[in-house]
Amino acid sequence: MTDYSHISNAELSPDADQTTQLYKRLRDNPIAMTEGAAGAPQWIGEAFADDALTLQYLDPSVSDPMLLGAAALFDTAAGNVTVKNTFNVLSVTQVNAFDYEIVFLSALTSAIYPCSLLADSIDDGGQESGVLMCPTTRTTGQLDYKQFLRAFDLSGARHAYPTNVSVIIQRGIA
Amino acid sequence: MLKASILWRGRELPPLTDYTPIPASDVSDNAPVRERTVTRIRDNPIAVTEAATGAPRLTTNAFADRGIPVEKIDAAAREQRLVMCSVVLSNQAAASPPLRILSSYNVQSVTETTAGHYTIAFLTDMATANYFCSGMPIIGSLVDYIYPALDRLQAKTVSEVHIVTVADGIGGGGVIQEVERFSFQCHGNTQA
């Protein structure tokens, strides 16, 4: 750590002795500022150019859980997926009826990530209902999930093909 | 000697300033003050701001707490990867007013058009209507599980999104019903 030493105006006046000690502090103080030395002025946000901080400079232990790692918006139908928008998603595939696979373009930093799924409501025989989407497999490279109609009856769970399925995954990208 | 200019995000940056360490012998007792020393003292702090080769990098302690506003984060990362709208709603008949925004970001207003139907209007529009949404109940009902869904009868737009809260009664179909509290958020680029 380099010491920070304040330089007074008197030391910079034309009549002052230009000692090498002064030059040593002129040399060291900017270095001490980069190190956050005691007493050194700290950098504030306005010192940075707009957009200057790319994600690689953020502490991943803090930023990764907050960042969008992958997202997709798509319609589902029997045997068919229509993708409307994606972020870091290579493909959305219906692997079996009501059974979907989302493959990421770049792997995520962890397979333990929060994910949420939301879709349009469903007309269930004249009653408004919704769709429950349950993740079945989560890896750093893909998410698998199933679609259930939320309006259960006593005969057991049923399924549905909703539109505007949103998948949001919060995690950093490796 | 002229230095090559650098294009960064379509903007030409000034030529980089060299960072040159100043040896201890140049600032030791009785060392003569040389022009090269004074020049380096002038140029090195500039070279630090430009992240020139060999220049010391800023460490965590160098930053003031809470000192960096969000616009200093790269716009592409900011808009694609951060939440662009979020709201936590409370809707309790006994409260006054019944519908309250407990927390929000980029939300102009929330309107309950009919029971269980909500319109969330953004402060700043999204760039397209194809943004990503999620929502969860926070407090529902002891009898039914109540959860939000996008209203299939009203497509979301760049300026607003329509939510319904659906109750899932055991042995019966879904029905639109008010929920005591739920959260909603979306990701996507804004037009700002």
Side-chain angles (χ1 to χ4, degrees):
Chain A
M1 181 73 81
T2 307
D3 288 335
Y4 181 85
S5 175
H6 179 69
I7 298 169
S8 68
N9 288 338
E11 292 176 272
L12 299 174
S13 71
D15 300 331
D17 290 336
Q18 301 291 303
T19 66
T20 50
Q21 279 304 308
L22 172 65
Y23 285 92
K24 182 174 184 301
R25 288 147 67 201
L26 286 169
R27 180 195 67 170
D28 290 348
N29 280 354
I31 298 170
M33 288 169 64
T34 70
E35 296 172 348
Q42 288 187 303
W43 297 77
I44 61 170
E46 291 308 314
F48 295 89
D50 284 351
D51 305 329
L53 294 172
T54 52
L55 292 180
Q56 73 193 82
Y57 298 116
L58 301 182
D59 177 3
S61 68
V62 174
S63 62
D64 274 11
M66 298 191 296
L67 292 171
L68 187 66
L73 175 67
F74 49 93
D75 290 345
T76 62
N80 195 28
V81 171
T82 305
V83 175
K84 295 178 171 178
N85 194 9
T86 61
F87 173 71
N88 191 33
V89 166
L90 177 64
S91 62
V92 180
T93 309
Q94 186 178 152
V95 290
N96 292 298
F98 314 108
D99 200 349
Y100 295 84
E101 173 188 273
I102 299 168
V103 177
F104 311 138
L105 267 174
S106 298
L108 307 181
T109 53
S110 168
I112 304 171
Y113 43 78
C115 61
S116 59
L117 300 107
L118 187 74
D120 279 358
S121 54
I122 289 280
D123 177 9
D124 182 26
Q127 286 188 302
E128 205 67 14
S129 187
V131 178
L132 173 66
M133 291 161 284
C134 296
T136 52
T137 306
R138 282 185 290 187
T139 69
T140 57
Q142 74 180 61
L143 168 74
D144 298 346
Y145 78 92
K146 291 181 182 297
Q147 292 180 164
F148 298 94
L149 191 62
R150 275 300 309 185
F152 293 101
D153 57 28
L154 296 179
S155 63
R158 294 176 292 141
H159 297 86
Y161 289 115
T163 55
N164 287 313
V165 177
S166 274
V167 179
I168 293 175
I169 292 163
Q170 285 173 271
R171 180 56 59 188
I173 297 173
Chain B
M1 182 176 67
L2 283 176
K3 296 181 181 179
S5 61
I6 296 174
L7 279 176
W8 182 71
R9 301 182 193 283
R11 204 170 73 202
E12 186 172 349
L13 298 179
L16 285 180
T17 307
D18 286 333
Y19 182 86
T20 311
I22 300 168
S25 57
D26 282 9
V27 288
S28 63
D29 289 344
N30 303 319
V33 174
R34 298 187 174 97
E35 181 182 353
R36 73 178 191 195
T37 304
V38 178
T39 303
R40 291 171 185 175
I41 285 173
R42 179 195 66 181
D43 289 348
N44 281 354
I46 299 171
V48 168
T49 70
E50 297 172 349
T53 302
R57 295 290 188 264
L58 301 179
T59 61
T60 304
N61 289 338
F63 296 102
D65 288 348
R66 301 176 184 274
I68 300 176
V70 71
E71 63 266 23
K72 302 303 178 183
I73 297 175
D74 174 43
R78 188 170 74 231
E79 294 184 358
Q80 288 181 357
R81 302 192 63 188
L82 302 182
V83 169
M84 280 296 116
C85 160
S86 69
V87 62
V88 179
L89 282 179
S90 173
N91 195 4
Q92 294 176 291
S96 180
L99 181 64
R100 286 173 297 150
I101 297 175
L102 301 182
S103 172
S104 71
Y105 172 70
N106 193 32
V107 170
Q108 171 78 51
S109 64
V110 178
T111 308
E112 187 176 21
T113 51
T114 56
H117 292 75
Y118 302 88
T119 297
I120 299 170
F122 307 134
L123 270 173
T124 302
D125 286 356
M126 309 298 280
T128 79
N130 286 332
Y131 44 88
F132 316 108
C133 303
S134 71
M136 281 298 288
I138 297 176
I139 301 174
S141 155
L142 293 178
V143 178
D144 293 330
Y145 178 75
I146 306 177
Y147 54 97
L150 299 173
D151 188 346
R152 67 184 172 86
L153 300 176
Q154 294 191 83
K156 56 191 167 75
T157 69
V158 295
S159 59
E160 60 186 23
V161 61
H162 308 280
I163 310 293
V164 291
T165 48
V166 184
D168 174 29
I170 301 243
V175 61
I176 304 293
Q177 187 171 309
E178 289 182 329
V179 64
E180 284 188 25
R181 193 176 293 180
F182 73 91
S183 68
F184 177 83
Q185 69 175 27
C186 59
H187 289 256
N189 292 1
T190 59
Q191 293 181 343

